[in-house]
Amino acid sequence: MWAALLMLLAVVQGLLVMLTVSFESSRAQDEAEAVALEVAGETKRQVTRGIQDLQPLTWPAITPLEWDVRAEQLLQSRRELLRLERRGPGGAISSLAESRYGPPLFTRLRRSDVEPEIDTACSLARRAAAPAFTRSYYVPFEGGTGVEVMDLCVPLLSEGRMTGFLVATWSLPQLLESALGAAPAGRHELSLVESDGSRLARAGTRRGVGVYVAERIVDLPARSLVLRADSSAGRPSLIPNLAVALVLGLSVALTVLALLLARDFRRRAQAEAALAEALAFRKAMEDSLSTGLRARDLDGRITYVNPAFCAMVGFPAEALLGTAVPPYWPAERVQEYTQRQAARLAPRAADEPASSPTRAGREGFETLFVRRDGERIPVMIYEAPLVDGNGVQTGWMSAVLDVTDQRRVEELSRQQQERLQASARLATVGEMASLLSHELNQPLAAIASYASASLNMLEQPDAHTPGLLREAMQRVGEQAERAGRVIRSVHDFVRRRDQHQEPVGCGALLDAVLPLVRLQARKSGARIELDLPEAVPAVRCDRTMVEQVLLNLARNGIQAMETATPLAQRVLRLGVRQRHARWVEFSVTDAGGGIGPEVAERLFTPFFSTRAEGMGLGLSLCRTVVEQHGGALEFESPVHAEHAPGSCPGTRFRFTLPTA
Ligand SMILES: Nc1ncnc2c1ncn2[C@@H]1O[C@H](COP(=O)(O)OP(=O)(O)OP(=O)(O)O)[C@@H](O)[C@H]1O
Ligand SMILES: [Mg+2]
């Protein structure tokens, strides 16, 4: 389209220039034609008037003197006439008058030389009984100049007889000048030319250029001349010609303007397209956002809300735009919110750049909105200043997040956390309770047996009774104290506190548990053997817990021998050995029924027990305690690989403790 337009413009401009030039040309040509026509007519009229003026000289009755006077007058009034001759019928000159406004005519050229011409014209005139011109001829003067002349032969008639001729010599240049005097030639050079083109005379102030030439035939009696008007204007050149220059300038300006317009148009179109794209992008972004967007002017009136915001508060955009107290503010908080808004929208300090968000804006603040249906929703608001193209702040843009779900999840997770903690506490309490009941069994059982023994003694008192009773009471006291320690240590153990570890001699450990072990052994008829070398170093341990381990293992061993083992073989062996520079090994060996593979698998599992009254916590506690000291608890059953068939295989539990 643009190419077509430009082409059209070029064509129109070309045409314009062409038309202007051709108009110029035709105007110049027309002018030349007009001048030629005018001057040719005027020349013809001059000649006709001249011939009329000659009439008085042709009267038959005119005297020679009168003729001379009249001829003189005529030569004065008509400068184009140079010479007048009155001739007889044979051609002889009877009277002669010559103009005094020029040099004498026939000096270098003799009159007789042109006589044939005159004869021809005169015979023509005689035949036609009308004036006739000779051909033109050149009369040279002294000094190199000359003049082109024509002779007019007028027949003199008297009563129908030819009485002679009047011969008048016409100067062609003068004839042209006199014609020009009546018809202005303007910027043209005028000349009389012969039909063959040779120039006879010229007049006019300018020189013709030969471009715009017009010719007209001037009919003279018996002869015709051609008048040529030649304009001094040359072919119109493009630039110096004002009109063309104007047209050209205008068209160039027009072209430039069209180009500029086109470029501007294209840029505008591009900018518009980019703008439309950016707008569509922004619109899509706003519509797809789940974050509510709200813009306010500096007076706090809402100027914009996005669909997400409308959905959040449940009001249509029309109900929100322009409001300073929006309908989603809780009624009882309007005053508080208004004050808060006023503080936030207050003009900022001069040194603070308009575009920097406030601290509160960056970090956001939480507030409460009311939906249209009355539901209250907690929201987070993040604000940033809205700055126009000139860097002037025009308002505030806020991003609003509905944090209802977030709050709900937080509440839920808080509740769950609480429940979890409660159940964890419960589990701990349960664990502690079971451990306590397990560990307290022994001291309580011991106290119970001391108590029943004391009662027995009191029923049949003798001399030893007071001493024995005192001892029994002491033991009861010790066991009660021990129970207290157990409770403390189990409590500590459950709380996973740092255990109170100390260096303890191995003998001391065994001594502490032996009375209880013996008490139990006596009940089931088992013997206790000790294997304690002197050189065993002290170990570093929590004394009470390790005593519990020893007690548990001993109790398990005695219990294992209670059923199957014959009374004679019921021996429980407690041993201590140094196995390594840093480790001391304790062993508890019984002669019980041993541990089968299916029991061995689940031996240390808490609450696994094969006994009706067993809790199944003993071994799991032992292992935990030993491992907490850095040692290991293992067992072997049968004790001897080649035990006699029929006899009990027995079991040995071993554990290690670090040396002190
Ligand atoms: N020396 C042993 N000889 C044979 N079986 C044993 C021996 N020690 C433990 N067991 C088996 O391992 C099981 C688990 O022992 P554990 O000491 O953990 O629990 P328990 O003795 O049954 O009950 P309690 O909690 O009162 O000690 C026992 O029930 C028993 O079957
Ligand atoms: Mg046990």
Side-chain angles (χ1 to χ4, degrees):
M1 200 184 78
W2 284 110
L5 190 71
L6 282 179
M7 239 162 71
L8 197 73
L9 213 67
V11 167
V12 166
Q13 283 169 5
L15 270 176
L16 257 173
V17 171
M18 240 173 67
L19 281 176
T20 315
V21 169
S22 91
F23 170 74
E24 285 275 298
S25 310
S26 63
R27 199 172 52 85
Q29 183 63 43
D30 286 353
E31 206 181 325
E33 297 284 352
V35 167
L37 187 68
E38 179 91 343
V39 177
E42 192 54 37
T43 310
K44 176 93 191 265
R45 274 194 292 283
Q46 290 289 336
V47 170
T48 311
R49 254 180 254 135
I51 292 173
Q52 279 168 2
D53 288 352
L54 285 175
Q55 284 307 313
L57 296 181
T58 61
W59 294 338
I62 194 164
T63 61
L65 191 67
E66 214 177 341
W67 191 95
D68 281 345
V69 173
R70 287 215 177 230
E72 201 61 37
Q73 281 171 350
L74 190 59
L75 286 176
Q76 263 180 27
S77 63
R78 284 207 168 271
R79 299 286 168 86
E80 65 264 33
L81 290 176
L82 296 182
R83 180 185 165 106
L84 295 169
E85 290 171 356
R86 186 184 165 92
R87 295 190 177 207
I93 298 169
S94 55
S95 304
L96 172 73
E98 209 163 328
S99 170
R100 263 172 270 163
Y101 296 102
L105 268 181
F106 295 103
T107 47
R108 298 191 60 184
L109 177 78
R110 282 172 294 146
R111 185 61 172 158
S112 56
D113 289 347
V114 292
E115 213 53 56
E117 293 286 333
I118 296 168
D119 276 353
T120 315
C122 284
S123 58
L124 205 66
R126 186 172 46 221
R127 272 205 304 277
F133 271 105
T134 64
R135 279 207 319 228
S136 71
Y137 56 93
Y138 185 70
V139 180
F141 293 144
E142 299 295 334
T145 58
V147 64
E148 188 80 20
V149 299
M150 283 171 94
D151 285 324
L152 176 72
C153 193
V154 184
L156 302 177
L157 297 171
S158 171
E159 298 162 4
R161 270 188 319 111
M162 179 72 61
T163 57
F165 303 97
L166 177 70
V167 175
T169 307
W170 298 66
S171 155
L172 291 186
Q174 281 298 332
L175 178 61
L176 209 50
E177 286 294 344
S178 56
L180 273 189
R187 306 176 297 149
H188 292 79
E189 178 183 25
L190 288 153
S191 37
L192 285 168
V193 291
E194 265 191 309
S195 37
D196 64 356
S198 56
R199 188 151 79 177
L200 307 175
R202 66 164 293 279
T205 48
R206 310 250 189 137
R207 282 269 157 206
V209 181
V211 177
Y212 303 113
V213 179
E215 289 184 340
R216 278 278 175 278
I217 290 174
V218 186
D219 277 324
L220 300 178
R223 201 142 307 270
S224 61
L225 290 173
V226 174
L227 183 107
R228 173 188 291 170
D230 188 351
S231 174
S232 66
R235 199 170 291 287
S237 53
L238 281 182
I239 298 309
N241 190 308
L242 185 66
V244 174
L246 262 175
V247 166
L248 263 181
L250 273 176
S251 23
V252 167
L254 206 68
T255 312
V256 169
L257 211 68
L259 283 175
L260 284 177
L261 259 172
R263 201 183 58 168
D264 187 61
F265 182 81
R266 214 184 53 232
R267 281 196 187 155
R268 204 170 279 259
Q270 277 171 355
E272 260 172 27
L275 202 68
E277 199 175 322
L279 253 167
F281 181 78
R282 206 193 74 160
K283 183 92 179 58
M285 202 168 72
E286 289 165 2
D287 291 352
S288 67
L289 265 183
S290 61
T291 307
L293 289 180
R294 172 193 70 178
R296 291 186 294 180
D297 62 14
L298 288 175
D299 298 327
R301 277 189 299 273
I302 296 181
T303 53
Y304 166 81
V305 284
N306 74 338
F309 187 82
C310 293
M312 196 182 292
V313 295
F315 287 99
E318 303 81 63
L320 301 176
L321 292 180
T323 55
V325 177
Y328 50 76
W329 280 4
E332 75 280 5
R333 293 211 191 170
V334 165
Q335 183 153 9
E336 177 197 334
Y337 280 22
T338 311
Q339 279 169 3
R340 189 179 65 187
Q341 173 164 302
R344 202 165 297 128
L345 298 182
R348 336 186 64 185
D351 55 331
E352 205 175 355
S355 56
S356 76
T358 56
R359 241 174 81 86
R362 263 198 309 273
E363 290 167 3
F365 59 93
E366 189 168 342
T367 186
L368 201 70
F369 282 178
V370 182
R371 290 174 56 88
R372 196 180 202 173
D373 56 17
E375 189 192 336
R376 304 204 154 209
I377 48 170
V379 291
M380 279 301 283
I381 299 185
Y382 301 87
E383 282 194 318
L386 205 59
V387 178
D388 70 5
N390 302 323
V392 178
Q393 183 179 355
T394 57
W396 292 88
M397 173 63 84
S398 323
V400 183
L401 282 178
D402 181 354
V403 289
T404 313
D405 290 343
Q406 196 182 328
R407 293 287 166 273
R408 197 175 296 145
V409 168
E410 276 171 12
E411 176 64 17
L412 217 69
S413 102
R414 193 182 58 78
Q415 286 172 2
Q416 268 174 357
Q417 195 69 33
E418 268 176 14
R419 235 173 277 152
L420 210 73
Q421 278 172 7
S423 53
R425 272 198 302 277
L426 276 181
T428 316
V429 167
E431 192 183 349
M432 205 160 98
S434 43
L435 267 180
L436 265 180
S437 59
H438 183 265
E439 296 310 310
L440 287 179
N441 263 343
Q442 289 160 43
L444 286 179
I447 288 170
S449 44
Y450 284 127
S452 65
S454 305
L455 280 176
N456 285 342
M457 281 188 277
L458 280 176
E459 272 169 20
Q460 291 143 14
D462 57 16
H464 301 291
T465 305
L468 287 173
L469 268 181
R470 168 182 296 273
E471 197 183 336
M473 287 301 118
Q474 258 173 4
R475 294 269 186 252
V476 167
E478 277 169 18
Q479 287 309 312
E481 212 173 280
R482 178 177 172 75
R485 281 210 304 279
V486 165
I487 290 175
R488 253 198 320 283
S489 63
V490 165
H491 182 258
D492 286 351
F493 174 72
V494 169
R495 289 298 216 59
R496 298 277 186 271
R497 287 238 181 91
D498 278 348
Q499 280 144 348
H500 177 68
Q501 295 194 351
E502 55 191 342
V504 189
C506 295
L509 278 173
L510 289 181
D511 285 347
V513 296
L514 267 176
L516 274 175
V517 174
R518 288 220 165 88
L519 197 69
Q520 185 142 22
R522 204 178 299 146
K523 265 202 254 167
S524 54
R527 281 178 290 125
I528 306 291
E529 285 182 7
L530 277 180
D531 179 11
L532 176 65
E534 290 288 321
V536 176
V539 290
R540 180 170 196 83
C541 65
D542 181 327
R543 185 186 194 132
T544 317
M545 293 312 286
V546 173
E547 285 171 12
Q548 289 302 120
V549 171
L550 281 170
L551 266 177
N552 273 315
L553 293 178
R555 202 151 61 100
N556 280 355
I558 293 167
Q559 284 164 352
M561 295 187 291
E562 266 170 0
T563 46
T565 315
L567 211 59
Q569 292 174 19
R570 293 183 185 175
V571 178
L572 185 78
R573 192 184 299 271
L574 300 177
V576 183
R577 281 282 181 286
Q578 183 169 13
R579 282 279 171 230
H580 186 267
R582 288 186 52 216
W583 297 105
V584 171
E585 185 188 83
F586 289 77
S587 61
V588 180
T589 314
D590 63 66
I595 296 175
E598 66 282 3
V599 175
E601 253 176 43
R602 308 168 60 197
L603 202 60
F604 297 103
T605 316
F607 304 110
F608 168 75
S609 172
T610 54
R611 295 188 299 111
E613 71 278 24
M615 290 180 69
L617 281 171
L619 284 178
S620 100
L621 173 79
C622 292
R623 178 184 248 182
T624 313
V625 170
V626 170
E627 284 178 356
Q628 268 182 0
H629 283 84
L633 172 66
E634 343 177 289
F635 72 94
E636 48 197 317
S637 176
V639 175
H640 304 289
E642 63 295 347
H643 73 98
S647 70
C648 289
T651 310
R652 174 182 294 152
F653 278 88
R654 294 179 290 145
F655 65 92
T656 49
L657 285 177
T659 55

